[in-house]
Structure formats: C-alpha cells, structure tokens
Amino acid sequence: MTRVVFLLVPQLHLLDLAGPAQVFSSAADLGHDYRLHYVAEREQVPTVQGVPLVADTRWPELTPDDLVLVPGWRPAAHGPQGPVSPVDLRRLADHHAAGGTVASVCAGAYALGRAGLLDGRRCTTHHEVQDDLARRHPAARVARDVLYVVDDRVVTSAGIASGIDVALHLVATRHGPGVAARIARTLVVYARRNGHEQQASAMMRHRSHLSDAVHRVQDLIDSRYAEPLPLAELAAAGGVAERTLTRLFRGTTGLTPLGYQQLLRVERAEHLIGHGATVEAAARTVGFTDARMLRRLRARSTGSAPAPIGSSRPVTGTPPAASRAA
C-alpha cells in the first residue's frame, strides 16, 4: 500500500489539490493500492475558491513508500511562505530523511524550502513567485519555465494544472508510462507524455517547456513521425507562421521540427533493431526510404562511424536537422 498524504493549509488552491488527488484516485481505480489522506492543523480548511474542506488533524504512520504532497496557496493570504507549522515542517524533513518522497505544487515549494529540503537541489514553483523563492532560499537552484523538477525524492511543480503533470509522472515512474497514459486519457487531459515510450525518450526530454504552440506541433509529429510533414502543415497545427514556428521550436526544444522528427524515428528504429529487426526494415518502418539515412543519423548521434547492420547501439545524442520540412 502507498499512502498519499496531502498537507492542507488555509486558502489553498483547489486545483493544486484536486488535480493530483484525481490522478492517484484514478490509479487506485485501476487496481493500484493507493490510500489518500488529507491532514491539516484544523479540521476545517478554507480554500481560495470558497469551497471548505474537511481534513484529519492526525497524521498516519508513514513508510518510505509513501508520498507527502503540499498543495499551493494564495501567497497574499499569508505571505508566500504560508502558515505551515514547525511541527509539520519537521514531519516533511523527517519523512524525506527516512527515504520517503516529498512533493509540492505551486507555492507549496515554500514549505519544502522552510523544511530545508530545497537546499542544494533543483526545484521550481509558479512563475509569479520563482524570483521570490530564489531570494528566500538562495541555496536552492530554482528552474524557470519547466513544469516540474525531481531531485533526490524532492518533487516540485509549477502549480495549478501542472500538479496533474507531476502526479502523472510519479505514477509513470512507479507503474510505467502506460498506466500514466491510461489515467491521462481517463482524465481527458492535454497529455504531454507518451504512454508507450520510456521516460528518457525524446518525447519526454523535449516536452519540459510551456509553449502551447510547440506542444501542438509535437503532438502532430509524435502521432505521424513516419510520414512526410511539411513545415507549412506543422505551422498550421501550431497556429503560427513557418518562421515563427522554427524559432519557437528551436528555442524551446533545442531542435528544429525536422530534427525532432528524425530523433523520434531514430529512437523507434533503435527499439526495432534491438528486438531483432534489420536496419533496412527498421528504417523503412520509421519512414526513411532506405537504411543509409538511418545509418548516418545513428553515426552522427554517437559521434562514431556508421553502425554495422544489426547493431543496436543506443542513441545518446540528437541528429542534425534541417528546418524547411519534417
């Protein structure tokens, strides 16, 4: 059994709580043994949106398998540091020291900072309070413009809807991306994770940005990476001009649209080769006309000579890219 304990504070944001709670509740509906607990200093907890919550004033006994999550609150209500008591801050620190995972959504990162859990670690929070968090906790390495950060069982997220993203990531880490993708479909959320690829895949590495236009284009490329995709079609999917898309895509992912598509093709080809396909068959399956381009991209991504037929050398870099078509 895994307990997910939500530490509630007055004037918390409902979605900071409800999003992750729905993810773990859905995981329980799928047969994974999650038990959700809601704790607070007082039984009645007011929210920013006006819906009162009822919480338990007693904490359950925790094990290293359990997660403690602090939803965010309206900074103007208490100051951004929030009304988390020294006793609860000690519980957060002790749970992490015992091998447990501690997470936050939005301004909940301040509680982790006050508990000493951000010192020397990468973290993030809502963009409106990132600078203040960095000022109050100079030993923390605050990452801007990312959805969430995981550093040594300390998990922080940007807030509001990104609480769903980080909860899906935690489910994927424990149960695999397929389970997380199934939950995402159940929640009818804008999935930024692919349910059939490992977390280290290109679909994961190049999704940690906040550009909706680029996400829409990536969705199209992800679903049709084996097809020719003219830049004009991709730009239309993103709702921007072609030159704007090229600039945005490179700025947010470090790649051109074609470079991203080629990376997906190479990774899928590596998977096929690792499961017994020939280089020629894998190349054609992923959209190359023959194996020569695949061999060149594999060689360039590893900085070595072209791999021999049948090799399943892993991809460690990114292939070169043009920008006019994908």
Side-chain angles (χ1 to χ4, degrees):
M1 180 180 68
T2 298
R3 294 178 179 85
V4 181
V5 179
F6 295 91
L7 175 57
L8 310 186
V9 302
Q11 299 302 313
L12 65 86
H13 283 289
L14 279 178
L15 190 54
D16 282 9
L17 168 65
Q22 183 69 54
V23 170
F24 292 111
S25 176
S26 297
D29 291 341
L30 294 178
H32 301 285
D33 197 2
Y34 285 97
R35 304 291 176 86
L36 277 58
H37 300 262
Y38 305 91
V39 300
E41 288 193 329
R42 298 182 180 181
E43 290 184 356
Q44 294 289 329
V45 182
T47 66
V48 173
Q49 288 71 34
V51 179
L53 303 176
V54 177
D56 198 331
T57 58
R58 298 168 299 175
W59 282 63
E61 292 293 326
L62 299 176
T63 73
D65 286 336
D66 299 331
L67 167 69
V68 178
L69 190 149
V70 186
W73 54 81
R74 175 179 283 170
H78 310 286
Q81 299 246 80
V84 182
S85 71
V87 173
D88 286 340
L89 293 175
R90 173 50 54 190
R91 286 191 175 103
L92 294 174
D94 288 348
H95 180 58
H96 183 267
T101 299
V102 179
S104 67
V105 180
C106 197
Y110 283 97
L112 275 55
R114 290 177 60 200
L117 295 175
L118 300 186
D119 293 349
R121 294 188 173 95
R122 292 184 70 246
C123 61
T124 194
T125 186
H126 194 279
H127 60 86
E128 292 180 354
V129 293
Q130 286 174 351
D131 291 340
D132 185 71
L133 181 70
R135 181 178 61 82
R136 293 176 184 271
H137 300 283
R141 304 197 302 273
V142 180
R144 270 77 172 176
D145 297 328
V146 296
L147 292 174
Y148 58 84
V149 174
V150 181
D151 192 334
D152 186 27
R153 293 177 288 104
V154 175
V155 185
T156 51
S157 65
I160 315 299
S162 69
I164 298 174
D165 290 294
V166 75
L168 287 169
H169 169 76
L170 292 171
V171 168
T173 299
R174 175 164 293 194
H175 305 293
V179 174
R182 185 175 176 185
I183 294 172
R185 290 193 297 271
T186 298
L187 270 57
V188 198
V189 299
Y190 178 57
R192 293 178 179 173
R193 292 160 185 77
N194 181 276
H196 309 291
E197 298 292 335
Q198 60 184 352
Q199 285 293 315
S201 72
M203 294 184 185
M204 302 297 103
R205 293 197 306 269
H206 301 291
R207 286 284 193 162
S208 296
H209 61 81
L210 301 178
S211 173
D212 287 337
V214 175
H215 279 303
R216 289 194 295 272
V217 173
Q218 287 178 293
D219 287 343
L220 177 58
I221 298 174
D222 293 349
S223 64
R224 296 169 54 191
Y225 67 88
E227 304 175 20
L229 293 171
L231 187 62
E233 182 177 353
L234 298 178
V240 295
E242 294 180 27
R243 295 179 64 180
T244 300
L245 173 62
T246 300
R247 176 178 56 79
L248 284 175
F249 208 100
R250 187 183 289 278
T252 55
T253 71
L255 301 169
T256 62
L258 176 58
Y260 178 71
Q261 183 184 29
Q262 287 178 333
L263 186 56
L264 296 185
R265 287 180 171 183
V266 172
E267 287 194 347
R268 179 58 181 165
E270 292 286 355
H271 173 80
L272 295 172
I273 293 168
H275 285 74
T278 65
V279 174
E280 186 72 33
R284 293 187 181 278
T285 298
V286 302
F288 295 119
T289 56
D290 56 47
R292 289 176 295 177
M293 176 61 78
L294 175 59
R295 290 194 183 98
R296 284 199 295 268
L297 292 174
R298 295 177 80 201
R300 292 177 185 178
S301 67
T302 57
S304 61
I309 292 177
S311 168
S312 58
R313 177 193 300 158
V315 175
T316 57
T318 56
S323 62
R324 289 308 303 165

